Structures are given as C-alpha cells and as structure tokens.
Amino acid sequence: QKEVEQNSGPLSVPEGAIASLNCTYSDRGSQSFFWYRQYSGKSPELIMSIYSNGDKEDGRFTAQLNKASQYVSLLIRDSQPSDSATYLCAVRGNNRLAFGKGNQVVVIP
Amino acid sequence: NAGVTQTPKFRILKIGQSMTLQCTQDMNHNYMYWYRQDPGMGLKLIYYSVGAGITDKGEVPNGYNVSRSTTEDFPLRLELAAPSQTSVYFCASSYSRQGRYQETQYFGPGTRLLVL
C-alpha cells in the first residue's frame, strides 16, 4: 500500500461549483496533513494544513481530516478558473513529507 | 527575501556526465530537501538535511549525493547521469523545532534536467 494515495483522475468542474478531492494515507501515527497546489510548470505551494480531526476552513478552501478512517479531503467552493491546477496531498512522517501523485482540477468557465 | 533559489533552470546532460544542482535559501531554515518529480507523478524525496553537516537519504537516493556545509546551501550532485534521472528537481526548506510538527515547506522554482 502506498503511503499517500490520490486515486481520482482529472476533475472537471463548472465555474462556481464545488470541487472535492480525496486522499488516504497508510501511517496511522501521522499527525500533520497538507494540501499543496501546483500550477503547470511551477513549484508546489501550500494552501492548507490540518492537524486535528474535523474541518478547517480558509476562504474558499475547506480541509477535512478523519484520522480513524485515515482520510483527508479538500473542498474548493465557488471554483474559479484560477483554481485550475494539480493538488497534492502530503502527510508528515519521520522528518519528511510523503506526497500523493496529485489530482488535476480543471475549472470550466 | 528571495526565498529558495535554484540554479540552473534547465540543463541537458549526456549519459555519464556529472553535474551539481544548486539550492540556496535565505530564510534561516534548518531543514532542507531535494525532491524529483516525474511527469504525472508526485514528489519523491531524494535526500534531506536537518541542519548543517547532517544529511540523510530519502526514498530515491541512488545516483545522487548531497552535502550541507552551511545553513543556506544544499547542493545536489549527480554522478554518471542516466536517462532515468530525467526529471524536474525541486529544492525545499522548512523550519522545524523538536516536538513541534507544524511546518510549511517552501519550494524553489525547480530545475528541469534532460539526460540524453
């Protein structure tokens, strides 16, 4: 089992809709969880971090964490064309982050 | 602050050549990392450092070497380049204190390497 799995294919959403991204992880002892956004040809940038079970909201982004199910999700409300990017889930282990392969989001105007 | 800078931005190597990818950060971060990203894939950790003079292997260290003589610099050395090392290489840094796991990694702009 991979450390961090993001299995969904490219996600196309109409402008103004909600984009939902999911991520599962294998290390039950993980404590820190992150979502990075990566535009094509650019480097990743952190958009959300979450450490406790439940929801964390920041603007149009909401991260959800369920440690019992080893599940992290990201919701993007009122999706904008500028949200078109690849979203990488990352889980902190021993001195390092393990990244999923990412989910591409395309927002259609 | 310039953040994390990487040079060169793009390089073509012939099989068997060697090169050093440079990485510098000006944020006084103690942790530094080297990742590679293949098309359509996530980031794979090559090496990391928790401070000057201390380095450790990540998931995919074979064919690479690193050193950390100063807090600011963390060069990545490729010896005997192979086509499998064609990738985009990202350097990152973060500040971590023992027992505190809230950290953000800041990434450099990347180096695109093509080995032919």
Side-chain angles (χ1 to χ4, degrees):
Chain A
Q1 184 184 5
K2 293 182 180 177
E3 286 187 85
V4 181
E5 294 208 50
Q6 295 178 257
N7 289 327
S8 300
L11 179 65
S12 293
V13 296
E15 184 174 354
I18 295 175
S20 177
L21 304 173
N22 303 315
C23 170
T24 58
Y25 60 94
S26 60
D27 184 356
R28 187 170 289 277
S30 298
Q31 296 292 326
S32 310
F33 307 88
F34 307 88
W35 284 98
Y36 282 78
R37 177 176 63 198
Q38 186 175 25
Y39 292 114
S40 181
K42 301 296 184 181
S43 56
E45 58 177 333
L46 181 71
I47 55 171
M48 289 289 289
S49 58
I50 187 166
Y51 309 102
S52 304
N53 279 331
D55 295 358
K56 179 181 178 183
E57 186 175 317
D58 184 358
R60 295 185 294 108
F61 297 99
T62 299
Q64 299 173 317
L65 174 61
N66 184 326
K67 290 184 180 179
S69 299
Q70 295 175 243
Y71 177 94
V72 190
S73 66
L74 179 71
L75 299 178
I76 307 173
R77 293 184 304 280
D78 188 23
S79 296
Q80 300 297 308
S82 60
D83 296 325
S84 295
T86 296
Y87 291 80
L88 302 168
C89 175
V91 178
R92 192 180 192 280
N94 184 22
N95 277 333
R96 65 181 188 90
L97 287 181
F99 284 85
K101 66 178 181 180
N103 287 126
Q104 185 181 8
V105 172
V106 178
V107 180
I108 303 168
Chain B
N1 286 350
V4 181
T5 57
Q6 292 182 238
T7 57
K9 291 182 179 177
F10 177 68
R11 181 79 181 267
I12 298 175
L13 280 183
K14 294 182 179 179
I15 294 172
Q17 286 185 322
S18 299
M19 77 166 292
T20 298
L21 282 66
Q22 301 292 343
C23 175
T24 300
Q25 55 92 7
D26 62 359
M27 297 175 283
N28 202 30
H29 286 168
N30 51 351
Y31 280 52
M32 295 188 74
Y33 311 82
W34 273 107
Y35 295 93
R36 60 176 288 173
Q37 186 176 37
D38 298 328
M41 301 299 290
L43 295 158
K44 298 292 186 184
L45 183 66
I46 305 171
Y47 272 96
Y48 69 98
S49 169
V50 301
I54 306 170
T55 62
D56 207 348
K57 296 178 180 178
E59 303 171 73
V60 289
N62 291 343
Y64 307 95
N65 276 301
V66 294
S67 60
R68 182 101 181 266
S69 57
T70 67
T71 299
E72 295 78 19
D73 299 306
F74 190 40
L76 177 71
R77 178 80 177 166
L78 276 72
E79 304 281 3
L80 298 175
S84 60
Q85 293 178 305
T86 293
S87 191
V88 179
Y89 292 84
F90 290 103
C91 179
S93 72
S94 66
Y95 179 72
S96 295
R97 286 184 286 177
Q98 191 171 10
R100 294 181 59 87
Y101 51 78
Q102 289 93 338
E103 59 166 277
T104 299
Q105 289 195 14
Y106 296 86
F107 285 81
T111 293
R112 190 174 300 273
L113 177 66
L114 179 61
V115 181
L116 300 174

